[in-house]
Amino acid sequence: MTQTTEAPAEKRTRRNPAPIILLVAVVLLAVYYVVIGLSGALKTTTAVPVSGSNSQSGNYMTLRMSVQDVDLSNRVMQANVLPIPHGTFEGEKAGEISKPLRIEVSSGGVTTSVVTFPGQSVVDATSLTLTLDRGDTSYPFDQPFTNFQLSVQNDDSGDAVPFEVDMSNSARPWVMQAERSAGEQQDARTLVPMQIDGHRDTLSVVIVSFYILAILFTTLMAVVTIGSAILRRKLEFANVIWLSATLLSFPALRSAMPGAPPIGTTLDFVFLFPCLALVAIMFVWTGAYLLWRESKVLRGRTLEDDAV
């Protein structure tokens, strides 16, 4: 009688996915920090570059303009302007102007602000409202801009006063640049055309793109999940709950986007509305199907007892 010995079973091994997961996480973090660096979110300066012949010397004024807010809904830009005297325009006290000054700002074809400062007075910042020439239909790639004209005169003699513009931006997340053109003579005034261009920073565009991808992938998951449940005849009430939660989450995601404008942008027509309509159709159809299926017992005239 012979005895047979069984060979020991070979151990089955599989590749450890942990190093790959760690590598993917490191790459994603690196991409995130690169985006943060390129977006300018870490920059502390608020200075806005002004191109054109903006430098002055001798006796002149510096108009320190600070952009406070960009309102795309009302298509206006709020800013503060503070004149700083140089040369013979400087008074005896700090911030005092020695001669009477008149500053006019024309935006949108009309004079939106006229500010006068009497001689020997300490000047304060004045609020301005500038008209924007573009809305927010291209969110988050909208690029609003404003064209306006500046005029600085001696309020007594009416002579033009040379000035330079020192601009800063406190309206986040907008990135801005300004351009100064050559002065134009009009009605004994020297009008200097200015233009301010703005666009959203890179970080805002990336975050909005992430929300859009979340909406698209959630809609795709809903289509696949409901379609699979229908084909396998495993449609349950939990699917209706999930679709209703998805339908309610899309407007919340839309509102959470940075600087989200009112409904009606290109983003809404291209991404949000089709996804909402698709999920809503699946929700109504699934709910109606389950309602008809589960109400069968109520529609029947007889009841069948369960077998014991």
Side-chain angles (χ1 to χ4, degrees):
M1 185 174 179
T2 59
Q3 294 181 351
T4 57
T5 58
E6 296 181 358
E10 295 183 359
K11 294 183 178 180
R12 298 178 63 184
T13 61
R14 58 188 180 92
R15 186 182 296 275
N16 185 7
I20 298 179
I21 296 175
L22 181 61
L23 179 61
V24 171
V26 171
V27 171
L28 290 178
L29 281 176
V31 172
Y32 170 77
Y33 288 122
V34 168
V35 171
I36 287 292
L38 295 178
S39 66
L42 301 179
K43 294 181 180 179
T44 57
T45 178
T46 60
V48 176
V50 180
S51 60
S53 55
N54 191 44
S55 299
Q56 300 289 337
S57 60
N59 303 320
Y60 68 100
M61 300 293 297
T62 295
L63 299 185
R64 182 165 295 172
M65 182 176 295
S66 175
V67 178
Q68 301 296 319
D69 183 40
V70 176
D71 188 354
L72 295 182
S73 300
N74 297 318
R75 303 187 71 172
V76 294
M77 177 184 294
Q78 301 292 338
N80 293 333
V81 60
L82 174 66
I84 301 176
H86 300 278
T88 57
F89 290 101
E90 294 186 45
E92 297 180 357
K93 301 178 182 178
E96 186 181 67
I97 185 173
S98 61
K99 300 178 182 180
L101 195 68
R102 179 185 178 90
I103 302 176
E104 294 187 14
V105 181
S106 301
S107 178
V110 296
T111 301
T112 59
S113 181
V114 177
V115 185
T116 58
F117 299 97
Q120 309 300 325
S121 63
V122 178
V123 296
D124 296 320
T126 304
S127 177
L128 301 177
T129 300
L130 305 176
T131 303
L132 290 177
D133 294 330
R134 187 175 300 172
D136 51 6
T137 56
S138 300
Y139 174 82
F141 301 104
D142 38 358
Q143 296 181 347
F145 65 93
T146 177
N147 292 308
F148 61 98
Q149 295 176 319
L150 287 173
S151 172
V152 182
Q153 295 175 279
N154 187 313
D155 199 26
D156 286 342
S157 63
D159 296 335
V161 176
F163 67 92
E164 65 180 15
V165 179
D166 181 15
M167 189 170 296
S168 62
N169 175 31
S170 299
R172 301 295 297 272
W174 295 101
V175 179
M176 297 183 179
Q177 58 183 8
E179 181 180 1
R180 174 175 175 167
S181 303
E184 303 174 356
Q185 196 70 22
Q186 181 179 353
D187 298 334
R189 296 180 303 165
T190 301
L191 300 178
V192 177
M194 298 282 299
Q195 177 171 324
I196 302 177
D197 298 283
H199 62 86
R200 300 184 189 270
D201 60 7
T202 308
L203 184 59
S204 297
V205 175
V206 170
I207 294 177
V208 172
S209 302
F210 173 78
Y211 280 117
I212 294 174
L213 288 177
I215 292 175
L216 291 176
F217 277 115
T218 303
T219 304
L220 182 61
M221 289 173 58
V223 172
V224 173
T225 302
I226 300 302
S228 172
I230 292 174
L231 293 177
R232 294 189 295 179
R233 300 179 184 275
K234 293 184 178 180
L235 203 60
E236 302 294 340
F237 185 68
N239 299 119
V240 179
I241 299 298
W242 186 72
L243 285 175
S244 63
T246 302
L247 196 62
L248 294 175
S249 66
F250 283 175
L253 288 175
R254 169 66 170 75
S255 301
M257 294 180 182
I263 295 293
T265 64
T266 303
L267 178 147
D268 299 320
F269 289 106
V270 176
F271 297 105
L272 182 62
F273 294 161
C275 292
L276 278 174
L278 189 58
V279 174
I281 291 172
M282 290 188 294
F283 171 71
V284 173
W285 188 92
T286 305
Y289 172 80
L290 288 177
L291 182 63
W292 178 260
R293 189 185 71 180
E294 298 301 327
S295 64
K296 180 180 179 180
V297 65
L298 300 178
R299 291 182 281 108
R301 296 186 177 183
T302 60
L303 296 177
E304 295 181 0
D305 295 331
D306 294 336
V308 181

